Amino acid sequence: MYSIMRKEVLRLDAQLKRGILEICVLKALSGGDSYGYRIIKDTQDVIDISESTLYPILKRLEGGAYVRSYAAEHNGRLRKYYAVTERGAARIGEFIREWQEIARVYAYIQGGETA
Amino acid sequence: MKRDAFLEELRGKLAERLEPDDLLAALSYYAEMIDDRVEEGFGEEEAVRSLGSTDDIAREVLGDAPRPAAETARESERGGYTRKTFVAEAAQITAVAVRDRDLAVELAPSEDGKVRVWYSESARDKYTVFVDANGLLAVVYESERKWFQYLGWNFAGREKLVVEVPAAFGRDVELTSSNAAIEAHDLHLHTLTAKSSNGGLTARNLQTDETLTLVTSNGAAAARNVRARKLHLHSENAALQLENAQIEGAARLETWNGTLRVKRTAAESLTATDKNGKIALEDVRVAEALSLSTSNGSIQLKNLEAAAIEARTGNASISLEDVRPRGDVLLYTCNDSIKGELRADARLYSVDSKTSNGTNLLPNRTEGQYRLVAHTANANIKLAFV
């Protein structure tokens, strides 16, 4: 029983983390179009995203039309830039509302324990 | 390692599993990462080293490969649900397994010969869709709801899960959805297994090279216009129906509390078991044994041909109309009548008929190649050879 619960928790953690990373990338793009390496640098103070973690996140976001990409010339080579779409911007707001809901539940639980 | 050697090594680990476009996208991404680092002042080898091993990178890229590569953008959004599609080439899929919950599932032919999955996701209702190393396409519903999120939550907008495969797919397909109906139609498969607890199951215009299996507890199961090597229909509290079927081998039907009907069907052998329901067969040809058993329901046979017939019930009648046996005929009930006609040569049969407190119009005889047994009690036997 314990091991099953433990596994559930780990799985949830992975999903939670994946979701948070996606929102962080959207947030990083909401200040203006950006590219892979800069997204990693811009988010490194709050969360650790490696190059190989970022790749599937960007693909997923693009596949879901949360971001769009285009190639632009930079120093004689092509660099891939990403821009947040309207849908991506809406997703950030949605995330914040979801977490407010969780925060309410959290406050209730915490209040219950100290009472 | 230098940039180009690193990219070549990575290509080697990705090339087999990725489509050319996806391979190019992944390699360009890592090339850009190295170039950006070098531009910032890192040495080339240092920039490569900071990316980690190509094995780890390949795992990340491939671990995520099937979904984004095949997933298209949202199709529609309703009630917080987004309709999504997964597409794969049929040649890459060796089998399909679906595990859903509370939602109807349909297996249908695809128009363009591809394998496609249509599913609805919301913030809390997710599917894992993946193809494993053996080519098994798995579609698994995974709710991310906490228990309290089931309260008052609206499921409206969660549309039926649809899986499309080529009409002549010829592979194994297994569909499970508790609490909801499953329907499969207009396909040729290797096997089909559909399971539900509270939902009805339907197979129509379907052919399987091996077994066709429909198993449910509280829903009805029906197979119409089917061809299969073997067939198994099972329910506990609902009706079973087999219509216009050709079964090369054994057909097995079991329920406890529903009517069991077989129409316009041919099978090598047919076994039907019920407890409190009626069993009715019409226009049926069984090459070998036909075995029917229920407890409190009648057994009705009409335009039927079989090598050997065994029918058992109690508290209900057995009636025969245009029945053509080519072997033993064993009929057992009590408290109700046995009546009708057998189209066979009476001289071939020994007859063992008995009832108590009833009229018996069937004279007994001891000689005969085959046996006719008709037993009841407290009721009449009106059975004759014609």
Side-chain angles (χ1 to χ4, degrees):
Chain A
M1 190 63 191
Y2 172 78
S3 65
I4 291 170
M5 285 176 64
R6 179 84 194 129
K7 209 170 143 193
E8 286 294 306
V9 168
L10 287 176
R11 197 171 65 87
L12 191 71
D13 278 355
Q15 283 170 343
L16 200 64
K17 194 175 176 200
R18 195 179 83 174
I20 291 171
L21 290 177
E22 287 179 4
I23 303 297
C24 285
V25 171
L26 289 175
K27 182 70 185 170
L29 294 173
S30 67
D33 299 1
S34 186
Y35 53 93
Y37 187 47
R38 214 182 87 196
I39 294 171
I40 292 170
K41 289 212 297 181
D42 287 350
T43 52
Q44 68 187 5
D45 288 344
V46 287
I47 200 157
D48 186 30
I49 306 180
S50 71
E51 287 80 357
S52 55
T53 315
L54 180 63
Y55 182 69
I57 292 173
L58 285 171
K59 271 202 91 167
R60 217 157 36 229
L61 289 173
E62 198 174 1
Y66 295 100
V67 304
R68 61 184 174 80
S69 68
Y70 56 92
E73 198 270 343
H74 169 81
N75 274 355
R77 61 188 168 94
L78 281 180
R79 189 144 75 184
K80 197 171 181 184
Y81 286 85
Y82 296 87
V84 67
T85 61
E86 248 177 61
R87 180 165 200 233
R91 180 70 193 100
I92 299 175
E94 202 179 295
F95 178 86
I96 291 168
R97 281 191 297 281
E98 281 169 10
W99 279 78
Q100 280 165 348
E101 202 178 306
I102 290 171
R104 270 203 304 279
V105 176
Y106 174 78
Y108 166 73
I109 293 168
Q110 213 186 25
E113 277 190 352
T114 52
Chain B
M1 204 189 317
K2 291 283 197 183
R3 175 187 188 274
D4 292 350
F6 169 85
L7 293 173
E8 210 39 54
E9 189 179 299
L10 185 59
R11 177 196 296 275
K13 286 170 184 169
L14 296 176
E16 252 180 50
R17 299 266 313 270
L18 291 182
E19 296 290 318
D21 285 357
D22 293 324
L23 178 65
L24 184 65
L27 293 174
S28 321
Y29 172 87
Y30 284 99
E32 187 189 301
M33 281 294 171
I34 297 167
D35 294 342
D36 278 337
R37 280 187 186 233
V38 169
E39 202 175 290
E40 212 188 38
F42 283 88
E44 186 174 332
E45 296 194 6
E46 197 185 350
V48 167
R49 205 161 39 242
S50 70
L51 293 176
S53 77
T54 51
D55 277 333
D56 287 343
I57 292 174
R59 205 163 27 243
E60 283 275 359
V61 173
L62 295 174
D64 210 60
R67 273 188 87 171
E71 206 174 288
T72 58
R74 64 186 174 147
E75 298 292 327
S76 64
E77 208 171 303
R78 210 176 124 229
Y81 284 91
T82 303
R83 194 69 167 159
K84 296 189 172 176
T85 323
F86 172 93
V87 190
E89 295 299 327
Q92 296 173 332
I93 308 297
T94 56
V96 176
V98 174
R99 301 245 186 292
D100 208 335
R101 209 166 70 197
D102 309 318
L103 186 69
V105 175
E106 181 183 351
L107 181 73
S110 67
E111 282 177 9
D112 57 4
K114 291 192 180 193
V115 173
R116 198 174 274 111
V117 184
W118 301 85
Y119 56 106
S120 295
E121 285 194 329
S122 73
R124 296 178 178 90
D125 295 289
K126 304 274 185 204
Y127 283 88
T128 302
V129 182
F130 66 93
V131 179
D132 78 2
N134 299 318
L136 169 75
L137 167 62
V139 181
V140 182
Y141 172 68
E142 290 181 62
S143 176
E144 290 181 10
R145 289 160 192 267
K146 311 272 190 318
W147 64 269
F148 61 86
Q149 287 170 330
Y150 277 93
L151 305 175
W153 183 261
N154 188 6
F155 278 93
R158 193 175 161 214
E159 290 174 71
K160 174 161 81 171
L161 180 87
V162 180
V163 178
E164 291 179 353
V165 298
F169 191 44
R171 303 288 196 175
D172 294 318
V173 176
E174 192 185 309
L175 308 171
T176 309
S177 186
S178 51
N179 310 318
I182 301 176
E183 185 185 11
H185 60 91
D186 302 291
L187 293 169
H188 182 172
L189 305 171
H190 185 247
T191 64
L192 172 69
T193 306
K195 292 181 183 170
S196 180
S197 319
N198 299 309
L201 307 173
T202 312
R204 58 182 166 85
N205 308 334
L206 202 95
Q207 184 176 350
T208 59
D209 298 329
E210 289 295 328
T211 310
L212 169 59
T213 309
L214 306 180
V215 176
T216 176
S217 303
N218 298 310
R224 289 187 204 96
N225 307 331
V226 295
R227 290 184 66 161
R229 183 154 149 61
K230 289 182 182 175
L231 173 105
H232 183 201
L233 300 188
H234 176 99
S235 179
E236 277 155 31
N237 297 307
L240 297 180
Q241 195 177 37
L242 181 62
E243 197 179 326
N244 204 6
Q246 285 188 45
I247 313 300
E248 279 176 57
R252 197 151 58 90
L253 296 84
E254 304 141 357
T255 182
W256 295 347
N257 297 307
T259 301
L260 210 151
R261 275 181 208 283
V262 180
K263 260 188 173 180
R264 292 194 300 281
T265 288
E268 187 182 48
S269 68
L270 195 152
T271 309
T273 316
D274 203 329
K275 277 185 185 159
N276 297 306
K278 170 171 116 172
I279 298 179
L281 274 61
E282 191 179 342
D283 305 326
V284 172
R285 241 155 298 281
V286 178
E288 292 173 14
L290 170 67
S291 172
L292 310 170
S293 144
T294 178
S295 303
N296 298 306
S298 64
I299 296 180
Q300 297 172 4
L301 309 179
K302 193 174 172 185
N303 185 15
L304 179 129
E305 195 178 302
I309 300 171
E310 183 174 348
R312 289 172 188 271
T313 181
N315 307 315
S317 65
I318 298 178
S319 61
L320 287 66
E321 188 185 330
D322 196 9
V323 169
R324 303 179 299 278
R326 282 177 284 107
D328 294 351
V329 178
L330 313 175
L331 311 170
Y332 299 93
T333 181
C334 56
N335 304 319
D336 211 332
S337 62
I338 298 177
K339 62 198 171 195
E341 294 168 346
L342 285 170
R343 272 185 207 282
D345 186 343
R347 289 167 301 182
L348 296 176
Y349 281 84
S350 69
V351 178
D352 166 13
S353 70
K354 68 177 180 201
T355 179
S356 48
N357 306 317
T359 313
N360 184 357
L361 300 180
L362 189 66
N364 283 322
R365 43 178 266 147
T366 50
E367 296 297 308
Q369 186 183 344
Y370 303 128
R371 291 195 302 151
L372 167 61
V373 177
H375 288 184
T376 183
N378 308 314
N380 302 332
I381 297 179
K382 290 183 180 171
L383 194 64
F385 285 99
V386 292

